[in-house]
Amino acid sequence: MKKLRRILCAFFALFLCVALLPVGQGYVYAETEQSVYIGGYPIGISIDIDGLLVESVTGVETEYGIAAVEGLRKGDIIKKIDGKEVDDVDDISEIITTADAVKIDLSRNGKDISLEVKPMIEAFSQKPRLGIKIKDVIYGVGTVTFVREDGSYAALGHEISYDGGSIPFDGGHIHACKVVGVKKGGKGEAGALLASVSPDKVYGSVCCNNSFGIAGQFHSDFAKGEKVPLAKRGEVHAGAAKIKTSVNGESQYYDIEIIKASHQSSRKEKGMVIRITDKRLLDLTGGVVRGMSGSPILQDGKLVGAVTHVFLNDFTKGYGVYAEFMN
């Protein structure tokens, strides 16, 4: 299934690239103005990891007490054990059958390394263990920015990562999601939307996860609503604007101000600085909160970008990425 998903995602990524026309050493966007459906509603996100993520090092309960297996660290992504690929949790116990040392190929801080690791025998089961807690899927919550006529979408506006590090991406899904509350930020910690995700309700695929957000395909037309033109980055200017987001169970428009619209000659993050000015939203959230990432920014009747980050010293302010740069 993972290999099939890789092929489908590669095809989808190629499909997205046809909107770019090669010119010399660079690219230009086709001049035809495209219109998209405005998002502004939450989605649950599951990202499949290409390998197994070490979530924590717990140690092994041996007959002499708890002992840690040397070598592995939190954040490591295990790719192979003794030359065999690992895709899910059960693969480890199937490969490691003795306490003999095994060769583990993994990714650490973006670099591929190999380690020789010696498992320990667990007292209760008398089986060799590595003493780690692992996962092969990462879950999150974000906001859809826009949807095209063919059901392809862009969301979030920034990469889904783990502890600030990139995740070896192997596809994913979007799920039903309902906002149930808001936690306001405080003391240097950003607030967050409290949401309920339904993993069994799959609404679409995730075929891209990069610095400009996630992209994929909806499986139905439920996401289509109001349609507006997609602005070029040169059309965006300082001044009044709106965002569309869902913080109380209903997607609504709120007033903001674009403080700064940077001139970016190439595809970059953080093109805009915004400030929340709508008292209704400020009363509900205190400003920008986690989970609002991807909330569409509209100005002069066009979709210009998406909310991506919050200023920790002033929750009313945040960054935005130009919608033109989103996949």
Side-chain angles (χ1 to χ4, degrees), residues 1 75 128 148 174 293:
M1 286 299 293
R148 298 182 182 89
I174 52 175
S293 294

Side-chain angles (χ1 to χ4, degrees), residues 16 31 42 50 138 160 184 199 223 227 234 245 247 251 281 285 291-292 294 317:
L16 290 177
E31 290 300 324
D50 184 13
I138 291 179
I160 295 176
K184 290 188 177 182
K227 203 171 188 180
T245 194
V247 296
S251 185
L281 187 55
T285 66
M292 282 174 58
K317 294 181 182 179

Side-chain angles (χ1 to χ4, degrees), residues 53-57 72-76 108-109 162-163:
L53 172 68
V54 178
E55 190 174 11
S56 62
V57 178
L72 296 173
R73 301 179 187 174
K74 177 183 177 181
D76 286 347
R108 176 179 292 168
N109 299 324
Y162 180 80
D163 277 0

Side-chain angles (χ1 to χ4, degrees), residues 250-276:
E250 182 180 354
S251 185
Q252 297 184 43
Y253 289 98
Y254 297 96
D255 293 328
I256 68 166
E257 177 188 5
I258 297 177
I259 301 173
K260 181 180 179 181
S262 301
H263 172 70
Q264 294 180 324
S265 58
S266 60
R267 199 166 178 239
K268 297 178 183 178
E269 306 166 67
K270 300 178 180 178
M272 289 172 276
V273 178
I274 66 166
R275 177 190 288 119
I276 306 294

Side-chain angles (χ1 to χ4, degrees), residues 4-18 207:
L4 176 60
R5 189 159 56 243
R6 290 191 188 111
I7 295 172
L8 293 174
C9 287
F11 175 79
F12 180 75
L14 178 63
F15 171 77
L16 290 177
C17 289
V18 300
C207 287

Side-chain angles (χ1 to χ4, degrees), residues 39-169:
Y41 43 86
I43 51 171
I45 305 164
S46 62
I47 296 295
D48 295 330
I49 303 168
D50 184 13
L52 297 175
L53 172 68
V54 178
E55 190 174 11
S56 62
V57 178
T58 60
V60 180
E61 182 71 56
T62 71
E63 60 182 286
Y64 305 106
I66 297 177
V69 173
E70 295 184 2
L72 296 173
R73 301 179 187 174
K74 177 183 177 181
D76 286 347
I77 297 172
I78 299 172
K79 298 293 191 69
K80 295 180 180 180
I81 299 179
D82 280 346
K84 299 178 181 178
E85 292 188 359
V86 289
D87 286 328
D88 57 51
V89 176
D90 293 336
D91 288 342
I92 291 183
S93 57
E94 291 177 4
I95 296 172
I96 299 177
T97 56
T98 71
D100 296 335
V102 293
K103 177 187 175 184
I104 297 183
D105 296 320
L106 56 84
S107 175
R108 176 179 292 168
N109 299 324
K111 296 182 179 180
D112 293 332
I113 63 174
S114 295
L115 299 174
E116 187 174 90
V117 176
K118 185 174 177 58
M120 292 187 177
I121 299 298
E122 183 182 49
F124 174 74
S125 65
Q126 289 299 301
K127 292 183 178 180
R129 306 294 188 196
L130 293 177
I132 54 177
K133 184 179 180 181
I134 57 178
K135 62 168 62 175
D136 56 8
V137 178
I138 291 179
Y139 286 93
V141 173
T143 301
V144 172
T145 306
F146 63 82
V147 183
R148 298 182 182 89
E149 188 67 44
D150 64 359
S152 60
Y153 71 88
L156 211 60
H158 63 72
E159 185 177 17
I160 295 176
S161 60
Y162 180 80
D163 277 0
S166 294
I167 302 167
F169 176 71

Side-chain angles (χ1 to χ4, degrees), residues 204-222:
S205 63
V206 180
C207 287
C208 175
N209 176 40
N210 60 32
S211 299
F212 302 92
I214 64 170
Q217 190 80 25
F218 275 117
H219 295 334
S220 66
D221 292 336
F222 84 96

